[in-house]
Amino acid sequence: MKTDELINVLASGEGPVDRHVLLRRLGIALLGGGLAALLLTISLYGVRADLGEVARTPLFWAKVALPGSLALLAIWLNRRLSRPGVKGGGVWLLLGLPLLLVWLGAALSLAGAAPEARGELIFGRTWRTCALNIALLSLPVFIGVFWALRGLAPTRLRQAGAAGGLLAGATATVAYCLHCPEMGVPFWGIWYLLGMLVPTLAGAALGPRLLRW
């Protein structure tokens, strides 16, 4: 078989590349996984009774802004890392910005509190279960995001897995905010981040195996 004939055989049946496949797959994963995380939050833990009242306070939206900003950055990372040969680059460094802000807020909160009140700000009432709850809620988003990535073309599999895990954890944390009664910034800076770290590390560990193509 001549070279031209081989090329024609290999190319036969191929159509134009769908430019929107990346956004479509991630959108389906986030919509389905996020809705599942929301329903799990409501069914397993319930919505806090004073949500309507507390949602009118800036502090509540500051709490939502932490996982929300990390989720947006994780989407950016996933869009980059789902393409062959593309690095996460400076987006990884940008993840430090919301972390620095919440830790700065935590430090100011602790500095302005009486010594006997600092333990409550750090541990709250739910520190034993918070991170585990977030990790559990992240499972449907984790499955959806990894399904999306497997249909794309990541080559930096560990980074892509970590970015997918972070997106799952951050999305689950946004849903968990509807239940969580904790309003202490130091609490979020420790236990929320720990809850998001679990699926991130799991994604980094499983990425080379689950995303290989």
Side-chain angles (χ1 to χ4, degrees):
M1 181 181 294
K2 296 181 180 180
T3 303
D4 290 343
E5 294 175 347
L6 176 60
I7 293 173
N8 289 332
V9 170
L10 292 175
S12 62
E14 293 297 322
V17 175
D18 185 352
R19 295 182 179 182
H20 304 293
V21 64
L22 189 158
L23 291 178
R24 185 170 61 248
R25 291 184 71 88
L26 279 179
I28 292 172
L30 284 176
L31 181 61
L35 181 59
L38 180 61
L39 293 176
L40 280 175
T41 299
I42 295 171
S43 60
L44 294 179
Y45 311 120
V47 175
R48 55 184 297 172
D50 61 344
L51 181 63
E53 179 181 348
V54 77
R56 293 194 291 267
T57 66
L59 190 59
F60 174 79
W61 293 106
K63 175 166 75 168
V64 175
L66 171 62
S69 60
L70 291 174
L72 290 175
L73 290 170
I75 291 173
W76 190 3
L77 272 173
N78 278 275
R79 288 185 63 183
R80 290 180 60 84
L81 291 167
S82 62
R83 297 185 176 96
V86 180
K87 300 179 180 180
V91 184
W92 288 113
L93 298 178
L94 289 177
L95 292 174
L97 182 58
L99 303 186
L100 288 175
L101 290 175
V102 75
W103 288 335
L104 177 60
L108 292 174
S109 178
L110 290 172
E116 60 271 17
R118 291 171 183 167
E120 175 68 18
L121 289 173
I122 294 173
F123 295 102
R125 292 170 290 167
T126 61
W127 68 273
R128 291 182 178 86
T129 57
C130 177
L132 293 176
N133 290 342
I134 290 172
L136 173 62
L137 294 174
S138 72
L139 284 175
V141 193
F142 191 97
I143 293 170
V145 171
F146 266 67
W147 164 83
L149 292 174
R150 277 184 62 86
L152 300 170
T155 53
R156 302 178 185 277
L157 303 184
R158 198 170 297 280
Q159 285 191 45
L166 175 61
L167 180 55
T171 305
T173 306
V174 171
Y176 187 67
C177 286
L178 300 179
H179 161 78
C180 181
E182 307 293 350
M183 298 300 287
V185 181
F187 183 95
W188 316 334
I190 297 174
W191 307 107
Y192 277 19
L193 294 181
L194 183 59
M196 289 183 273
L197 183 62
V198 172
T200 301
L201 293 178
L206 294 173
R209 177 177 297 180
L210 298 182
L211 300 179
R212 184 179 294 116
W213 53 283

